[in-house]
Amino acid sequence: MPAPPAERPDPDHRPRPARLWRPRRVLVTPAALDFAHGRAMVARAEAMGLPVERLSANRLTGLRDADPRQAYIAAKATLAITVAPPTKLRLQPIPPSADWRFDLAEGCPAHCQYCYLAGSLQGPPVTRAYANLDAILDNLAAYAGQGAVTSASAERAHEGTTFEASCYTDPLGIEHLTGSLSAAIRHFGAWDAPVQLRFTTKFAAVAPLLDLPHNRRTRIRFSVNARPAARYEGGTDPLDARLAAMGAMARAGYPVGLTIAPIIPVAGWEAAYAGLIRDAADALAGIPDLDLTVELITHRFTPISKTVLRGWYPGSDLPLDEADRVEKRTKFGTVKHVFPKPLMQAMRAHLTDRLARDLPAARVLYWT
Ligand code: SF4
């Protein structure tokens, strides 16, 4: 699905009301209804006029289809309010993005043709929002003060222990239905320890977050890409809306970030990425006490993610030709296909040069 046309930022710097996801199906399990947060999410859906199906069992069934494209379409239009399993409370380190990963939800309503979740989700990509929010947040305290040291974590050591909430979801894209992200921001804002909540988003509906007591303990990073790559990001908010939202969050005192990803050598990539960095600089111009980081992530794929993406997006022209890539072994022995070294070096030099020139306040955390 192509991304909608770009919008220009509002001159008064307040973000425009963003398009809000309306799932075609909302399911809730009996166990989720035992939690106040589960019931609150049901109330949010019903207040939006969405009928909620109350399931008789806690397992989600009947979501598979022999045709992966049909299963994908149905799943992407479904929100399931469920309880996070106990495994979700055993946190995993997630370098270089953060010290620890935790999940408020799993799945997201967007349709990125390169989706990072392809091949890592079990079953069709239904968005699951977790009702046991208090347990998920209370569990984080056991991990504060711990974390492996990496070059990226050394760069942000002054921020304390970092917790990443967007490895398996886009928490802002579903916030109007969950309220979980606001609760997490409040939780970190009130936490009496050096900690930071981090999440990445391709959405722009930040208005409910602007006045929260965040205490500068949440860094919101906007996942952005060069304009020619926008057509690979269906169902997301337009680039200009995301940049305007980033400016609004920075003016509200939040630390912010740019996640430029996935970097793809589209035709005219030098000018396209230079333009992106200039647009980001314009969106952040004149903001006092700007705290800005940048993460630079090139496109890669694995044999499994390619198979899943071909099933989800059979008509996509996203470049996934192994002949144009080189193989890289992960520490688990699996293969990923990345760009050849000379191209990687050229893209890295160009982007970091433009960042230094147009966004000198930015701290580049990593290139991968
Ligand atoms: Fe996948 Fe992230 Fe795009 Fe959602 S926003 S479809 S999780 S890549």
Side-chain angles (χ1 to χ4, degrees), residues 76 108-112 114-117 169-170 202-203 236 313:
K76 275 291 191 171
C108 108
H111 299 268
C112 300
Y114 53 75
C115 181
Y116 307 114
L117 299 185
T169 189
D170 188 315
K202 293 192 178 85
F203 290 86
T236 60
Y313 303 105

Side-chain angles (χ1 to χ4, degrees), residues 28-317:
V28 61
T29 63
L33 286 172
D34 288 341
F35 293 89
H37 190 61
R39 297 191 294 276
M41 287 193 280
V42 169
R44 281 175 178 257
E46 290 179 337
M48 288 179 67
L50 302 171
V52 177
E53 298 173 46
R54 288 163 171 77
L55 303 179
S56 56
N58 288 319
R59 261 177 72 89
L60 301 181
T61 56
L63 298 166
R64 292 182 188 272
D65 190 299
D67 178 346
R69 175 72 186 156
Q70 290 309 317
Y72 167 84
I73 290 169
K76 275 291 191 171
T78 301
L79 171 70
I81 300 169
T82 64
V83 176
T87 50
K88 291 279 184 192
L89 300 182
R90 287 198 293 278
L91 303 195
Q92 303 297 319
I94 185 77
S97 165
D99 292 315
W100 301 103
R101 161 197 145 197
F102 77 108
D103 298 312
L104 301 168
E106 182 178 291
C108 108
H111 299 268
C112 300
Q113 293 171 28
Y114 53 75
C115 181
Y116 307 114
L117 299 185
S120 38
L121 293 177
Q122 299 289 321
V126 168
T127 297
R128 293 168 166 81
Y130 298 134
N132 48 336
L133 178 65
D134 290 343
I136 291 169
L137 295 178
D138 290 347
N139 181 53
L140 304 179
Y143 295 85
Q146 302 181 46
V149 175
T150 65
S151 56
S153 68
E155 178 63 33
R156 56 170 183 256
H158 61 286
E159 297 174 338
T161 312
T162 50
F163 294 86
E164 168 67 60
S166 53
C167 288
Y168 273 64
T169 189
D170 188 315
L172 184 59
I174 55 175
E175 175 64 5
H176 57 293
L177 288 156
T178 68
S180 304
L181 182 57
S182 296
I185 291 171
R186 288 177 186 278
H187 182 84
F188 277 79
W191 195 338
D192 187 20
V195 288
Q196 187 191 74
L197 168 64
R198 300 163 59 74
F199 67 94
T200 310
T201 185
K202 293 192 178 85
F203 290 86
V206 295
L209 312 184
L210 295 177
D211 298 325
L212 294 177
H214 58 81
N215 204 15
R216 288 178 85 81
R217 292 260 180 75
T218 293
R219 183 178 300 278
I220 177 170
R221 294 114 79 213
F222 287 83
S223 176
V224 293
N225 214 325
R227 288 181 195 273
R231 62 201 176 88
Y232 297 126
E233 298 184 345
T236 60
D237 279 325
L239 173 64
D240 288 316
R242 287 180 232 171
L243 294 179
M246 178 171 66
M249 290 295 274
R251 273 184 285 276
Y254 281 87
V256 296
L258 283 172
T259 304
I260 303 180
I263 298 168
I264 302 171
V266 291
W269 63 266
E270 292 97 334
Y273 282 98
L276 169 70
I277 291 166
R278 262 196 321 274
D279 289 343
D282 287 347
L284 296 170
I287 295 177
D289 299 327
L290 177 66
D291 181 344
L292 172 69
T293 58
V294 179
E295 292 149 274
L296 300 165
I297 303 171
T298 55
H299 182 251
R300 69 271 326 276
F301 62 91
T302 67
I304 292 173
S305 70
K306 176 174 176 174
T307 302
V308 172
L309 290 173
R310 287 291 188 237
W312 286 358
Y313 303 105
S316 173
D317 67 353

